[in-house]
Amino acid sequence: MRVKFSKMHGLGNDFVMLDGISQRLKLSPDKIRRIADRRLGIGCDQVLLAEPPRGPEADFRYRIFNADGGEVENCGNGARCFARFVRERRLTGKKRLKVETAAGMLHLRVLDNDQVSVDMGAPVLEPEKIPFNADRRADSYLLEASDETFTIGAVSMGNPHAILLVDDIHSAPVETLGPLIEAHPRFPQKVNVGFLQVESRSQAQLRVFERGVGETHACGTGACAAMVYAHLRDLVDEQVEIRLPGGSLTIHWSGPNQPVTMTGPATTVFHGQIIV
Ligand SMILES: N[C@H](CCC[C@H](N)C(=O)O)C(=O)O
C-alpha cells in the first residue's frame, strides 16, 4: 500500500507523520519498525498518525508509535509537528486545534512566529497513575539501580518520566544509567529518563533517554516533566527555558492541577510516499 507521509522534527526529535485521514491505514508493530528503521525504511524516533476524531469535541485524533513499534500515550515535539502537518496538508485552516490522544485532549495553538504552543494538560503525580511503584506520593523518591541509590522525580505527562538532577549535563550517565532506569521493575510500563542540570530559576539543560527509542535530540514531554519536578523542588520559577541537545523549549507551569504549556518550533523536512 502506498502511504503519503511528511518527514518532520521538533528540535531534532524526528518523526514520520502519516496521513490517516485521506487514507485509512492499518499499522502493525512490524510496519512501524520498518518505517522507523534508519536503513530499511525512512528512519525516525517516532511514527505519528493523524486520524479523524472519534468524537465531536476534537478536530483530530493523534496516535504515537515509538521506533520499537510500541504505541504510547503522548509526544510533545510531535504535537507541534502535528499542528503544522494538518495545516500544510490543508486538512484544516484553524490555528487553534483540539487533538485527541491516548493521554487525553491536547490544545494546540499555531503562533505567528511559526512556533506552536501546546497545552499539555496537568502533570500526573500519583505514583499508581504514572505508573511507578512507591508507598506514597512524594516530590522525589529513592531508586536503587546498579548497586547505587539515586534520587529521582517521577511524573506522567500521559507518558511516564523519571528525572535525575545532574551537575554537568555533558558527563551525565545517559547511555549507562538511561537503559537501566528505562527498564527498572518499579516502572511497570517502563519509563522515559531525563537528566536535568538546573542553571538558574529560569534556565536548565536536559538530555532524555526515551523509552523505546534511546537518547533523542529533544523530548517535549520530557522537558515538561523535568520542569514540573524542578518546580516541585522549588528550584525554578513558573517559566523555564529548557535547552536540549537539539534546541530550546519554553515550559510554563504554575503548580499542581494546573496545565503545563510547552512552546517551540516544528519543522517539515520533506514529503513523500512509502510502500507499507
Ligand atoms: N519524543 C516525545 C516523547 C515520546 C515518548 C515516548 N518515548 C514514550 O515511550 O513515552 C516528546 O517529544 O514528548
Side-chain angles (χ1 to χ4, degrees):
M1 180 184 185
R2 278 182 187 282
V3 178
K4 288 182 284 187
F5 72 89
S6 293
K7 184 69 174 45
M8 305 183 80
H9 71 84
L11 301 178
N13 178 201
D14 67 331
F15 311 111
V16 171
M17 182 80 76
L18 300 176
D19 172 357
I21 293 167
S22 53
Q23 51 191 25
R24 300 303 286 158
L25 300 178
K26 279 203 66 59
L27 295 170
S28 66
D30 282 344
K31 283 186 180 177
I32 296 289
R33 283 189 287 269
R34 172 59 63 93
I35 292 169
D37 190 296
R38 296 192 186 280
R39 286 186 177 76
L40 305 177
I42 303 164
C44 61
D45 292 330
Q46 277 92 23
V47 174
L48 307 179
L49 177 58
E51 289 189 330
R54 289 185 298 182
E57 64 287 343
D59 296 297
F60 296 100
R61 182 185 184 201
Y62 160 44
R63 298 174 70 187
I64 301 117
F65 302 87
N66 278 332
D68 68 359
E71 183 165 5
V72 294
E73 308 88 348
N74 204 357
C75 174
N77 287 319
R80 301 195 312 276
C81 290
F82 188 98
R84 183 176 184 126
F85 175 78
V86 292
R87 285 169 53 83
E88 278 177 347
R89 292 276 179 163
R90 307 249 183 286
L91 296 167
T92 182
K94 289 182 173 180
K95 285 198 158 189
R96 287 174 180 269
L97 295 165
K98 286 190 283 186
V99 175
E100 167 200 338
T101 72
M105 195 72 78
L106 297 184
H107 297 263
L108 317 183
R109 187 155 60 94
V110 179
L111 307 176
D112 294 339
N113 59 1
D114 237 5
Q115 303 253 307
V116 181
S117 184
V118 184
D119 171 344
M120 299 288 289
V124 172
L125 302 172
E126 295 84 358
E128 64 280 5
K129 294 179 184 169
I130 291 175
F132 173 53
N133 297 336
D135 299 337
R136 55 178 178 72
R137 192 191 91 61
D139 288 347
S140 60
Y141 303 89
L142 295 180
L143 188 80
E144 297 71 32
S146 72
D147 300 330
E148 285 188 69
T149 300
F150 298 93
T151 299
I152 66 163
V155 177
S156 170
M157 292 305 300
N159 58 345
H161 290 268
I163 307 103
L164 293 88
L165 296 174
V166 294
D167 296 329
D168 173 15
I169 199 75
H170 302 293
S171 62
V174 179
E175 291 82 12
T176 52
L177 195 53
L180 287 178
I181 296 180
E182 179 204 10
H184 198 284
R186 289 182 64 186
F187 289 97
Q189 290 176 15
K190 294 189 171 184
V191 68
N192 298 283
V193 189
F195 297 82
L196 180 68
Q197 179 184 343
V198 177
E199 297 167 313
S200 74
R201 295 193 65 84
S202 62
Q203 297 264 345
Q205 288 194 68
L206 177 70
R207 292 172 64 187
V208 181
F209 187 94
E210 282 198 26
R211 176 179 60 170
V213 182
E215 182 172 10
T216 57
H217 284 192
C219 182
T221 50
C224 294
M227 187 273 180
V228 165
Y229 176 50
H231 192 280
L232 289 172
R233 303 275 310 261
D234 194 22
L235 300 173
V236 296
D237 293 332
E238 291 192 358
Q239 181 153 310
V240 183
E241 183 197 6
I242 303 268
R243 295 198 326 280
L244 300 112
S248 292
L249 292 172
T250 301
I251 311 294
H252 182 277
W253 186 56
S254 53
N257 304 314
Q258 297 302 309
V260 182
T261 303
M262 168 196 62
T263 303
T267 307
T268 299
V269 182
F270 61 87
H271 304 296
Q273 287 192 9
I274 181 171
I275 313 289
V276 291

